[in-house]
Amino acid sequence: MPAAEVSLSVGLVRRLLDEQHPDLAGLPVEVLANGWDNLVCRLGEEFLVRLPRRAMAAELLAHEQRSLPELADRLPLPVPTPVRVGQPTVQYPWSWSVVPFFAGRIAARSEPDDPWSAAATIGGFLNALHAPASSEAPVNAARGIPLAGRTEGVLTGLERVDPGDRAPALEIWQKAVAAPVWDGPPVWLHGDLHPADILVDRGRISAVIDFGDITSGDPATDLSVAWMVFTAEQRAVLRQAYGLADDATWERARGWALALSLVFLSHSADNPLMHGIGERAFRAVLA
């Protein structure tokens, strides 16, 4: 996991709240997660505080702060639109957010009770999200791009998998890259949708979180989640609920699932959760 570029603590969170949002400063603060990009603290019963751990993550958080307010009202699931935005100070160099707390556990740890219904829910969510994007949408050099732009990374990742899997995976990749490219307008994308960004509460999908990679481009990028969560039959339900994926888009989505699975497998030596997501997606793509 990348090292934090600043010193983060509950004490820092309390000081920032006291200086900038004193009406929230009296609420209990408890560390919930210390991830690759953000320190996440529970703030009372209703909120979370997200503080970037490094400059790259600060840029991603700024994308959420700018874009989610534009999208949230037309999405059928809750998303973490900031309710407060914190400003940089002498003691902390970047913007930070107070966002709603959503009950539930990530789908990577708590699968929905009815995966067919869940597939339809995700399909409907992506249908609503994938509207033509505004010109102010953040640019992401690695997501939403033509699939061929991921070829170097895929070939490198395939060197790390079982030799018996390389030839069939390469054939799948070549077929996906050969599919017609997206020729519609760039659409809004989550950009990094996987089972650790989907919440499940009481057996049902309840929210989609972590929009740091929000961008625009080819919808196949987001549709790759179908191979990370669902069986072939359930993927068909997701595709039907989505309603916008022609055969070329679905083929590219499979290619995106392969590319992202290899990223997870190659860079999760210290993160069993993400390694497991990568392994499941890789096997689903090959099936």
Side-chain angles (χ1 to χ4, degrees):
M1 188 169 74
E5 297 171 5
V6 293
S7 178
L8 298 171
S9 66
V10 168
L12 173 63
V13 173
R14 292 187 184 282
R15 290 193 296 274
L16 292 172
L17 288 169
D18 188 57
E19 292 173 5
Q20 299 185 32
H21 301 283
D23 59 315
L24 302 179
L27 297 174
V29 178
E30 178 184 2
V31 173
L32 192 64
N34 195 8
W36 274 56
D37 291 334
N38 299 288
L39 174 70
V40 181
C41 293
R42 184 81 182 265
L43 177 63
E45 296 296 318
E46 299 181 32
F47 305 114
L48 299 176
V49 179
R50 298 183 72 209
L51 274 73
R53 302 173 66 249
R54 52 198 184 116
M56 180 182 295
E59 183 178 356
L60 300 182
L61 192 77
H63 292 167
E64 289 185 337
Q65 291 171 341
R66 288 195 300 269
S67 299
L68 281 183
E70 178 179 344
L71 300 176
D73 287 346
R74 61 178 175 80
L75 297 177
L77 290 171
V79 297
T81 307
V83 296
R84 305 285 180 92
V85 173
Q87 302 301 320
T89 69
V90 172
Q91 56 187 326
Y92 183 74
W94 304 306
S95 294
W96 48 281
S97 294
V98 178
V99 301
F101 169 76
F102 299 137
R105 302 182 68 205
I106 57 174
R109 291 198 172 104
S110 179
E111 294 189 358
D113 291 345
D114 183 347
W116 285 269
S117 175
T121 297
I122 293 297
F125 175 84
L126 291 177
N127 174 283
L129 174 63
H130 289 172
S134 66
S135 59
E136 290 77 28
V139 175
N140 189 311
R143 310 295 173 107
I145 63 174
L147 196 57
R150 302 290 303 227
T151 295
E152 182 178 354
V154 166
L155 296 179
T156 300
L158 287 177
E159 294 174 359
R160 301 189 175 102
V161 304
D162 188 283
D165 291 327
R166 291 174 190 165
L170 182 58
E171 182 178 351
I172 290 167
W173 178 251
Q174 291 171 337
K175 185 177 179 182
V177 171
V181 299
W182 175 248
D183 61 358
V187 301
W188 281 108
L189 303 174
H190 180 283
D192 191 32
L193 189 59
H194 53 66
D197 291 336
I198 298 169
L199 294 186
V200 175
D201 184 40
R202 302 177 190 175
R204 300 174 64 87
I205 291 179
S206 57
V208 176
I209 61 174
D210 197 356
F211 280 74
D213 282 304
I214 191 170
T215 186
S216 64
D218 182 357
T221 306
D222 283 351
L223 290 168
S224 63
V225 73
W227 282 263
M228 300 180 197
V229 181
F230 302 111
T231 65
E233 294 81 5
Q234 294 155 10
R235 287 194 293 275
V237 173
L238 185 153
R239 184 179 179 182
Q240 182 178 19
Y242 180 69
L244 303 174
D246 60 17
D247 290 345
T249 299
W250 202 244
E251 194 65 55
R252 294 194 309 276
R254 189 184 187 196
W256 273 103
L258 175 59
L260 295 173
S261 73
L262 292 170
V263 171
F264 299 154
L265 290 172
S266 300
H267 299 285
S268 299
D270 60 348
N271 192 329
L273 178 76
M274 294 308 297
H275 191 277
I277 292 172
E279 181 66 26
R280 178 173 179 169
F282 185 69
R283 293 296 154 202
V285 166
L286 291 187

